[in-house]
Amino acid sequence: MLMNEKLQLIEENLHRLNVKLGDIELPNPVMPASGCCAFGHELNNFYPINKLGAIMIKSTTDVARDGNPNHRIYETSNGMLNSIGLQNPGVDVVIDEHITWLDSIGANTIVNLAGSDTESYVNVARELEARAKDKVTAIELNVSCPNVKHGGIQFGSDPQTLKNLVNEITKVTTIPVFVKLSPNVTSIKEMAMAVDETDAYGITMINTLVGMAIDYRTGKPIIANKIAGYSGPAIKPVALKQIYEVRQVTNKPIIGMGGIESATDIIEFLSVGSDAIAIGTANFNNPTICIDVLVDLLAIMDEMGIDHIDEFKGRAHV
Amino acid sequence: MLMNEKLQLIEENLHRLNVKLGDIELPNPVMPASGCCAFGHELNNFYPINKLGAIMIKSTTDVARDGNPNHRIYETSNGMLNSIGLQNPGVDVVIDEHITWLDSIGANTIVNLAGSDTESYVNVARELEARAKDKVTAIELNVSCPNVKHGGIQFGSDPQTLKNLVNEITKVTTIPVFVKLSPNVTSIKEMAMAVDETDAYGITMINTLVGMAIDYRTGKPIIANKIAGYSGPAIKPVALKQIYEVRQVTNKPIIGMGGIESATDIIEFLSVGSDAIAIGTANFNNPTICIDVLVDLLAIMDEMGIDHIDEFKGRAHV
Amino acid sequence: MELTSLKVIKHEKIAAKTYELVLQKPTHICPQPGQFAMVKVEGKFLKRPLSISNYTEDTVTFIYKVLGQGTKLLSESNPLDIEVMLPLGTSFNLETKHATLIAGGVGIAPMAALAKSLHENGTTVDVHLGYRTAEEVFLAEELKKYGTVTIYTEDGTAGTKGYCLPQEINSNSTIYSCGPHPMLNAVANKYPNKGWLSTEEYMACGFGICAGCVIKLKSGMKKVCQDGPVFAKEEFEC
Amino acid sequence: MELTSLKVIKHEKIAAKTYELVLQKPTHICPQPGQFAMVKVEGKFLKRPLSISNYTEDTVTFIYKVLGQGTKLLSESNPLDIEVMLPLGTSFNLETKHATLIAGGVGIAPMAALAKSLHENGTTVDVHLGYRTAEEVFLAEELKKYGTVTIYTEDGTAGTKGYCLPQEINSNSTIYSCGPHPMLNAVANKYPNKGWLSTEEYMACGFGICAGCVIKLKSGMKKVCQDGPVFAKEEFEC
Ligand SMILES: Cc1cc2nc3c(=O)[nH]c(=O)nc-3n(C[C@H](O)[C@H](O)[C@H](O)COP(=O)(O)OP(=O)(O)OC[C@H]3O[C@@H](n4cnc5c(N)ncnc54)[C@H](O)[C@@H]3O)c2cc1C
Ligand SMILES: Cc1cc2nc3c(=O)[nH]c(=O)nc-3n(C[C@H](O)[C@H](O)[C@H](O)COP(=O)(O)OP(=O)(O)OC[C@H]3O[C@@H](n4cnc5c(N)ncnc54)[C@H](O)[C@@H]3O)c2cc1C
Ligand SMILES: Cc1cc2nc3c(=O)[nH]c(=O)nc-3n(C[C@H](O)[C@H](O)[C@H](O)COP(=O)(O)O)c2cc1C
Ligand SMILES: Cc1cc2nc3c(=O)[nH]c(=O)nc-3n(C[C@H](O)[C@H](O)[C@H](O)COP(=O)(O)O)c2cc1C
Ligand code: FES
Ligand code: FES
């Protein structure tokens, strides 16, 4: 099936795929996950990214970051490790070069926001509010990026710290804020309940697990940062379980992710309580995965006699 | 290579494979993990299990347990989910029928001990102390079995609770106690430090991650218990990372496990700080895996010019 | 019981969604009717349990239906060798003068070796086979060599319309049944006869070490792979 | 740049641990010397980056060395089709009258298309090839068609003993180099000439979306898959 045929099929079935996250309306539930689509330019060479539900761009910080030394990535059995280290050109460049372009082509942009202290987070939010609020669909607060030394993880691993950070952000921006939960906690429910008590608009989950790879010959870690984020199909069972639990404690919209590779994966994520889904690692092996799974999803819906994807939502809980 | 040839090769190279866990001496570093070898009778049909480093028998509770309804297991990409629910005949039968037999054939037996409250744990330890202390190499305290409703997990997820439990156990038995850590915590280091402050003899890790599988057609969880333990190659990166971190905070012996399938996996686990290793899920696909990896390990040692496995230990930390 | 890689002699479709897989086996491996094997499917983590449908001195035959990903992968592949662990589990007790075989769907597979063996022992054999629809019919012709064969289809496209539950059974006939759980329960409770039922459960190891396949029967928790798959009929009666 | 499944025309060993893989390609895919592809290896999660060693109107050739699990798997398999993403990355700038090619190990692979193209442009080509040992020598004969070829081996079993670093180079010759990082750094700093170096890094996507392949060069952090693999020589000078 040619790409334009795929796009047309999706176009004709948007009434079966459209998603409402509170007041936010998306044409379909699929978006590439942050850090797995850069700022969209590359994927746009394969298909028009304004056809996506949305695009979650790379974590953006107040000032430019070089990120970590290499090796930054490594393969595992059915997944991968990464320790990129939040490399990004800083919020100003992101707005001028990327968000402006994404807006001009009509893409729904979700800006992933990262920092190493509350202030640096707030700076980015302020900047977005001041210069890009009409160009941005939502903010995704990365409180869990596990691969930055002295940073990230602690915000997402203590309920009170998390709550404080979210409150500081929602104070300075009118852009809907989604909090991206880290799976590497004792109780994901506690974290979700903390977010539920804030003005956060919704939740995205899960970020990467944390793992390590060793070169058996030298006995040394392969990733320069030693410890890295673990993603891909291998983490899917963990993602499904945590979204299932979080859905039990909040009614806020959830954008689910973690190892999604296929249309049946999407149905599983909707079943445990996701309202929309994101695809990360799978983009690396197939640049058109986000379009391909929508085509497959429609085929399965026809076969199962499902009119609208909403019929899949939350079935694991009834 | 025939089994008896494999066994002979191992026999001739025990001086390169032998392990000292404090005062506990094992002929080699490989043992089948708890719940993945029942009580040893089945594996003993494939090879003499007294040739193993040791055998970690199924979790034992004070009274017999039926365990969970089915489905109890399901496949994932490169791993599996299980929710057996600590099915076991109770400590008395375990001693009379299994430990006694294991002792009679000269196997090094590590008894995995489980319970739902401190008392039920202590009862098993008392019983073992009273009736089997000379027949048991060590106790493995399962404080983390994530697949038993209202039980298991909380002991291993709070440092103080964990410490209290361990102290109660070490009070009533002279058998060396290994504490089996759960990976499903915010800080594995905190848990290891808590154990380090007790009279526990050592640490075994990791127990299963927690995951879920959904039937996309019905949208319902496939495992009867809904939530299940996640094991196999998919969890290896997490195990390596957590053992690496725990080795930084304790000098107690560590028996490492989590997705081990090959001799190179064993070398990786030794490199991050394990003193011996256990193989769980891989026994299901290959009943002789514990012997096969020893043969492969010797071949790699020859190729690398390694005299003794101790040379692999802790290389990731230097 | 051993884990070994066997040469594929034949692998072909024999009915709708249904495939026959014949492997060459060493003569020292001697299965009994009702036993099963764990069959490796390349690309899948766990092996798949499949009944040994039939066997000769140097072959073993499986008949499988495409149900999910693993059986689909297997049906689409043409491996030269397949890793299998076999023979596993309990077998049917053959001591009886008169046998009534009641099998449905893929539960029909093990009836081949069973009917043959009973027939060789001089037992009178009546076979009742249930299918969803006509194009899924398999083994029916071959089984006529060993006794009477009655076919049932849910949609009536072949034989008697309805479920595979004969009206009455010779009171001193021994029942041998294999099929989905609801069918086994129906068989267990509809007829007073003694008999042997073969059941299914998800399996990780197939030889007793994981406790994944345990089901609750009258006499307690049983491992389908080790205490079963063939159990005495009473175990299912309520 | 596209992801496509190409027919395998040839897949054979051409030197110790070294294999040649020739795929049939549609004519609309037009690689340039120095570009690479991401090659799928069945059973491995990520694709493997391999330089396009050579190409014709309707074929593309890779030469790979067995290094780890993926290349081992590939060398042991005989697929009919292979999924590849290509062409990827930057190519060598061919504008020069005199070219000195310095390549080591698998870095020699892309020299085939490069030498050919330079030769066709009327450029004078001197090729210096470094191998570990004689039995790993490949492409040397073919490259003689395009210019002078000097061989180096670390153990002296063929050509000059030692590393592949020519004593001196014609001052107005452009350097083209591909090989391990240490070699590139040596080349970058030993000769004053301008030139183009092709480098390596672990890759997940191969087309710029993961930032996994980024290395620090003089002008900053660069994606090897997108800003490279071919960079201007100054970028490596210190
Ligand atoms: C003792 C025994 C004998 C069997 N004999 C036959 C036979 O002769 N012919 C035949 O076609 N089928 C037989 N089955 C059923 C067969 O094992 C399943 O159809 C098969 O495992 C489905 O695998 P899948 O990958 O296609 O399905 P998936 O749903 O993709 O499999 C996912 C997981 O669930 C397990 N699973 C799914 N359904 C079943 C099931 N019904 N029983 C056991 N495990 C299941 C799979 O083994 C796998 O581990 C038998 C099962 C058992 C326990
Ligand atoms: C742009 C580019 C062009 C290349 N061209 C060639 C070529 O023409 N011929 C050739 O033989 N090799 C080439 N390489 C190197 C080749 O990619 C590696 O040898 C190969 O990926 C090793 O895979 P493996 O599975 O055998 O090793 P493993 O160590 O098992 O691989 C594990 C992971 O590490 C990655 N990896 C390991 N070593 C390297 C490496 N040196 N470079 C990049 N990734 C690595 C693998 O891709 C994989 O993701 C090239 C690399 C790059 C970046
Ligand atoms: C290479 C790579 C880079 C990533 N970078 C980010 C990031 O910058 N910010 C973030 O919040 N998540 C980041 N992630 C996490 C993904 O957005 C996603 O949450 C995770 O990978 C799970 O989804 P997946 O299994 O589909 O990849 C990154 C993941 C990968 C693989
Ligand atoms: C089927 C199954 C049953 C298990 N039962 C137990 C148990 O009873 N007690 C326990 O401490 N761990 C149990 N485990 C966990 C294993 O001992 C081991 O810690 C874990 O599976 C990781 O190792 P692996 O990836 O090699 O299987 C079980 C694992 C599996 C797969
Ligand atoms: S399948 Fe493992 S015990 Fe039955
Ligand atoms: S490999 Fe993904 S950006 Fe280069």
Side-chain angles (χ1 to χ4, degrees):
Chain A
M1 201 174 182
L2 297 171
M3 179 52 72
N4 52 27
E5 296 170 330
K6 293 178 186 172
L7 294 170
Q8 183 173 353
L9 182 74
I10 293 164
E11 203 65 34
E12 290 163 354
N13 287 276
L14 289 181
H15 58 286
R16 306 172 64 189
L17 298 170
N18 66 312
V19 170
K20 277 177 127 285
L21 305 173
D23 310 332
I24 301 172
E25 302 200 4
L26 303 178
N28 68 66
V30 178
M31 56 195 87
S34 180
C36 302
C37 56
F39 295 99
H41 306 277
E42 294 79 9
L43 291 184
N44 200 54
N45 294 331
F46 289 91
Y47 60 89
I49 59 173
N50 56 13
K51 300 297 182 191
L52 288 164
I55 175 169
M56 298 168 131
I57 60 176
K58 179 72 183 167
S59 274
T60 299
T61 51
D62 54 354
V63 291
R65 291 203 193 181
D66 277 358
N68 294 334
N70 46 49
H71 304 309
R72 289 178 167 194
I73 64 110
Y74 197 66
E75 178 183 66
T76 69
S77 74
N78 239 308
M80 64 174 280
L81 294 169
N82 88 83
S83 180
I84 307 302
L86 296 188
Q87 179 184 4
N88 82 97
V91 63
D92 289 334
V93 177
V94 169
I95 292 172
D96 299 341
E97 292 183 11
H98 304 306
I99 293 176
T100 306
W101 171 73
L102 287 162
D103 179 55
S104 72
I105 63 167
N108 295 323
T109 305
I110 296 177
V111 181
N112 186 289
L113 197 155
S116 26
D117 51 22
T118 306
E119 196 191 355
S120 58
Y121 273 100
V122 170
N123 291 340
V124 186
R126 275 224 185 75
E127 204 61 19
L128 289 168
E129 178 68 17
R131 300 184 44 213
K133 75 164 170 300
D134 310 334
K135 302 189 173 80
V136 169
T137 303
I139 284 172
E140 180 183 43
L141 202 58
N142 175 8
V143 296
S144 46
C145 193
N147 52 29
V148 181
K149 296 204 203 77
H150 343 288
I153 188 74
Q154 74 275 20
F155 285 99
S157 54
D158 172 62
Q160 195 51 51
T161 319
L162 178 58
K163 226 153 116 178
N164 297 342
L165 177 66
V166 176
N167 289 333
E168 292 304 318
I169 301 296
T170 51
K171 239 186 259 163
V172 301
T173 181
T174 59
I175 303 167
V177 175
F178 283 77
V179 178
K180 187 170 188 177
L181 297 182
S182 162
N184 309 301
V185 294
T186 304
S187 167
I188 195 72
K189 280 188 175 181
E190 266 187 30
M191 301 305 151
M193 288 188 280
V195 173
D196 196 60
E197 292 164 4
T198 68
D199 293 338
Y201 194 91
I203 288 172
T204 66
M205 63 190 292
I206 61 174
N207 208 318
T208 49
L209 298 185
V210 192
M212 195 167 185
I214 299 291
D215 180 338
Y216 82 89
R217 299 183 209 76
T218 63
K220 297 265 176 293
I222 288 167
I223 302 284
N225 188 52
K226 292 192 171 76
I227 284 166
Y230 186 21
S231 66
I235 74 170
K236 192 183 90 170
V238 178
L240 287 172
K241 178 261 184 181
Q242 294 200 345
I243 295 167
Y244 177 83
E245 290 189 333
V246 167
R247 178 43 82 212
Q248 294 174 326
V249 298
T250 181
N251 294 319
K252 291 183 188 283
I254 298 175
I255 301 174
M257 68 191 89
I260 296 178
E261 275 193 323
S262 67
T264 54
D265 289 340
I266 292 174
I267 297 172
E268 291 167 26
F269 275 72
L270 295 174
S271 300
V272 291
S274 309
D275 299 289
I277 64 93
I279 298 178
T281 304
N283 290 284
F284 305 156
N285 287 322
N286 175 11
T288 61
I289 185 84
C290 289
I291 299 300
D292 297 344
V293 289
L294 282 168
V295 171
D296 297 344
L297 181 60
L298 286 167
I300 295 174
M301 288 168 69
D302 292 342
E303 182 196 313
M304 290 176 69
I306 300 283
D307 288 337
H308 194 282
I309 54 166
D310 286 349
E311 297 172 44
F312 292 124
K313 281 197 200 164
R315 291 182 299 164
H317 297 275
V318 293
Chain B
M1 202 173 185
L2 296 171
M3 178 51 72
N4 51 26
E5 296 170 329
K6 294 178 185 174
L7 293 170
Q8 184 173 351
L9 182 75
I10 293 165
E11 202 65 32
E12 291 163 353
N13 286 275
L14 289 181
H15 59 284
R16 306 173 64 189
L17 298 169
N18 65 314
V19 171
K20 276 176 129 288
L21 305 172
D23 311 331
I24 301 173
E25 302 202 3
L26 303 178
N28 68 66
V30 178
M31 56 195 86
S34 179
C36 303
C37 57
F39 295 100
H41 305 276
E42 294 79 8
L43 291 184
N44 201 53
N45 295 331
F46 290 90
Y47 60 88
I49 59 173
N50 56 14
K51 300 298 182 191
L52 290 164
I55 173 167
M56 298 168 132
I57 60 176
K58 178 74 183 167
S59 275
T60 299
T61 50
D62 54 356
V63 290
R65 291 202 193 184
D66 277 357
N68 293 335
N70 45 47
H71 303 311
R72 290 178 166 193
I73 64 111
Y74 197 66
E75 178 183 67
T76 69
S77 73
N78 240 308
M80 65 173 281
L81 294 168
N82 89 83
S83 179
I84 307 302
L86 297 187
Q87 178 183 4
N88 82 98
V91 63
D92 288 334
V93 177
V94 169
I95 291 173
D96 298 340
E97 291 184 12
H98 304 306
I99 294 176
T100 307
W101 171 72
L102 287 160
D103 179 55
S104 73
I105 63 168
N108 296 323
T109 306
I110 296 178
V111 181
N112 186 288
L113 196 154
S116 26
D117 51 24
T118 305
E119 196 190 356
S120 58
Y121 273 100
V122 170
N123 292 341
V124 186
R126 275 223 187 75
E127 204 62 18
L128 288 168
E129 178 67 18
R131 301 184 44 211
K133 74 162 171 303
D134 309 335
K135 301 189 173 79
V136 169
T137 303
I139 284 172
E140 180 183 41
L141 202 58
N142 175 9
V143 296
S144 47
C145 194
N147 52 29
V148 181
K149 295 204 202 75
H150 340 287
I153 189 72
Q154 74 275 18
F155 284 100
S157 54
D158 172 63
Q160 196 50 51
T161 319
L162 178 58
K163 227 155 115 175
N164 296 343
L165 177 66
V166 175
N167 288 334
E168 292 306 317
I169 301 294
T170 52
K171 240 186 255 163
V172 302
T173 180
T174 59
I175 304 168
V177 175
F178 284 78
V179 178
K180 187 169 188 176
L181 297 182
S182 162
N184 310 301
V185 294
T186 305
S187 168
I188 195 72
K189 279 188 176 182
E190 265 188 32
M191 302 304 152
M193 288 188 277
V195 172
D196 196 59
E197 292 164 9
T198 67
D199 292 338
Y201 194 93
I203 289 172
T204 67
M205 61 191 291
I206 61 173
N207 208 317
T208 49
L209 298 184
V210 191
M212 196 168 185
I214 298 292
D215 180 338
Y216 81 89
R217 297 182 210 77
T218 63
K220 299 261 174 295
I222 289 167
I223 301 283
N225 188 53
K226 293 192 171 76
I227 284 167
Y230 186 21
S231 66
I235 74 170
K236 193 184 90 169
V238 177
L240 287 171
K241 178 260 183 180
Q242 294 200 346
I243 294 167
Y244 177 83
E245 290 189 331
V246 168
R247 177 45 82 211
Q248 294 174 325
V249 298
T250 182
N251 294 320
K252 292 183 187 284
I254 297 175
I255 302 175
M257 68 191 87
I260 296 178
E261 276 193 321
S262 67
T264 53
D265 289 340
I266 293 175
I267 297 173
E268 292 167 26
F269 275 72
L270 295 174
S271 301
V272 291
S274 309
D275 299 287
I277 64 92
I279 298 178
T281 305
N283 290 283
F284 305 155
N285 286 322
N286 174 11
T288 61
I289 186 84
C290 290
I291 299 300
D292 296 344
V293 289
L294 282 168
V295 171
D296 297 343
L297 181 60
L298 286 167
I300 295 174
M301 288 167 70
D302 292 341
E303 183 194 312
M304 291 176 69
I306 301 284
D307 288 337
H308 194 281
I309 53 165
D310 288 348
E311 297 172 45
F312 291 125
K313 281 196 199 165
R315 292 182 299 165
H317 297 275
V318 295
Chain C
M1 179 192 329
E2 68 185 77
L3 178 67
T4 171
S5 182
L6 301 182
K7 191 162 158 298
V8 177
I9 298 175
K10 189 174 163 205
H11 187 196
E12 63 183 34
K13 193 169 185 175
I14 58 170
K17 294 208 214 127
T18 311
Y19 294 76
E20 182 178 37
L21 174 67
V22 184
L23 305 179
Q24 189 165 53
K25 76 162 180 64
T27 54
H28 74 268
I29 296 178
C30 304
Q32 297 300 314
Q35 287 189 294
F36 70 102
M38 292 295 283
V39 179
K40 172 70 180 175
V41 176
E42 279 315 320
K44 284 290 157 184
F45 185 69
L46 295 174
K47 294 195 178 65
R48 298 326 197 221
L50 293 180
S51 300
I52 292 169
S53 176
N54 213 337
Y55 52 87
T56 65
E57 182 77 14
D58 54 10
T59 69
V60 56
T61 299
F62 302 96
I63 297 176
Y64 67 91
K65 170 161 272 150
V66 171
L67 183 93
Q69 296 174 0
T71 47
K72 184 163 186 297
L73 265 176
L74 182 59
S75 70
E76 292 165 350
S77 68
N78 288 312
L80 300 176
D81 310 88
I82 294 184
E83 188 183 69
V84 291
M85 175 130 96
L86 80 176
L88 301 168
T90 55
S91 59
F92 289 106
N93 177 322
L94 304 175
E95 283 158 27
T96 183
K97 296 252 154 306
H98 189 290
T100 303
L101 280 50
I102 305 174
V106 292
I108 289 166
M111 296 300 122
L114 175 62
K116 180 152 136 274
S117 304
L118 287 165
H119 180 70
E120 284 165 6
N121 293 2
T123 304
T124 311
V125 179
D126 295 329
V127 185
H128 300 267
L129 306 174
Y131 306 88
R132 201 169 298 115
T133 179
E135 59 185 14
E136 292 188 6
V137 173
F138 66 96
L139 271 186
E141 272 315 306
E142 173 170 356
L143 289 175
K144 289 185 181 150
K145 287 188 274 171
Y146 312 119
T148 71
V149 173
T150 317
I151 291 178
Y152 306 70
T153 54
E154 293 176 23
D155 64 1
T157 49
T160 315
K161 185 174 199 299
Y163 290 114
C164 178
L165 292 170
Q167 283 314 321
E168 72 226 48
I169 293 177
N170 174 328
S171 63
N172 46 38
S173 179
T174 305
I175 293 177
Y176 296 86
S177 187
C178 182
H181 286 278
M183 172 183 176
L184 294 183
N185 293 328
V187 168
N189 298 296
K190 181 178 168 76
Y191 313 104
N193 309 49
K194 67 179 178 55
W196 306 94
L197 311 190
S198 178
T199 186
E200 279 184 8
E201 188 41 67
Y202 289 19
M203 295 183 171
C205 71
F207 62 99
I209 61 171
C210 78
C213 66
V214 169
I215 56 172
K216 201 183 192 78
L217 293 178
K218 222 188 222 153
S219 67
M221 307 303 282
K222 298 290 174 188
K223 293 176 183 172
V224 171
C225 73
Q226 196 176 38
D227 308 319
V230 177
F231 294 97
K233 180 166 167 290
E234 313 84 88
E235 287 281 5
F236 292 84
E237 294 164 4
C238 35
Chain D
M1 179 193 329
E2 69 185 77
L3 179 66
T4 170
S5 181
L6 300 182
K7 191 161 158 299
V8 177
I9 298 176
K10 188 172 164 207
H11 187 195
E12 64 183 35
K13 193 169 186 175
I14 59 170
K17 292 210 217 133
T18 311
Y19 294 77
E20 182 178 37
L21 174 68
V22 183
L23 306 179
Q24 188 164 49
K25 77 160 179 67
T27 55
H28 73 267
I29 296 178
C30 304
Q32 297 300 315
Q35 288 189 292
F36 70 102
M38 292 295 282
V39 179
K40 172 70 180 174
V41 177
E42 278 315 319
K44 284 293 162 181
F45 185 69
L46 296 175
K47 293 195 178 66
R48 298 329 199 216
L50 293 181
S51 300
I52 293 169
S53 176
N54 213 336
Y55 52 87
T56 65
E57 181 78 11
D58 54 10
T59 68
V60 57
T61 300
F62 301 97
I63 297 175
Y64 67 92
K65 171 162 274 151
V66 171
L67 184 95
Q69 296 175 0
T71 46
K72 185 161 184 298
L73 264 177
L74 182 58
S75 70
E76 292 165 349
S77 66
N78 286 314
L80 300 176
D81 308 273
I82 294 183
E83 188 183 68
V84 291
M85 178 132 92
L86 81 174
L88 301 169
T90 54
S91 59
F92 288 107
N93 177 322
L94 302 176
E95 284 160 24
T96 184
K97 295 252 152 310
H98 190 290
T100 303
L101 280 49
I102 305 175
V106 293
I108 289 165
M111 296 300 122
L114 174 62
K116 181 152 136 272
S117 304
L118 286 165
H119 180 70
E120 286 165 3
N121 293 0
T123 304
T124 312
V125 179
D126 295 330
V127 186
H128 301 266
L129 306 173
Y131 305 88
R132 201 169 299 115
T133 179
E135 60 184 14
E136 293 187 5
V137 173
F138 67 95
L139 270 186
E141 273 314 306
E142 173 169 357
L143 289 174
K144 287 184 180 150
K145 287 188 273 170
Y146 311 120
T148 71
V149 173
T150 317
I151 292 177
Y152 306 70
T153 54
E154 294 175 22
D155 66 359
T157 48
T160 315
K161 187 175 197 297
Y163 290 113
C164 179
L165 292 171
Q167 284 313 322
E168 73 225 46
I169 293 177
N170 176 329
S171 62
N172 46 39
S173 180
T174 305
I175 291 178
Y176 296 86
S177 186
C178 182
H181 286 279
M183 170 182 177
L184 294 184
N185 293 327
V187 169
N189 298 295
K190 181 179 167 78
Y191 312 105
N193 308 50
K194 69 179 177 55
W196 306 94
L197 311 190
S198 178
T199 186
E200 278 184 7
E201 189 41 66
Y202 288 18
M203 295 182 171
C205 71
F207 62 99
I209 62 171
C210 78
C213 65
V214 169
I215 57 173
K216 200 182 192 80
L217 293 177
K218 221 187 223 154
S219 67
M221 308 303 282
K222 298 289 176 189
K223 292 176 184 172
V224 171
C225 72
Q226 196 175 39
D227 307 321
V230 178
F231 294 97
K233 179 167 168 289
E234 314 82 270
E235 286 283 4
F236 293 83
E237 294 165 3
C238 35

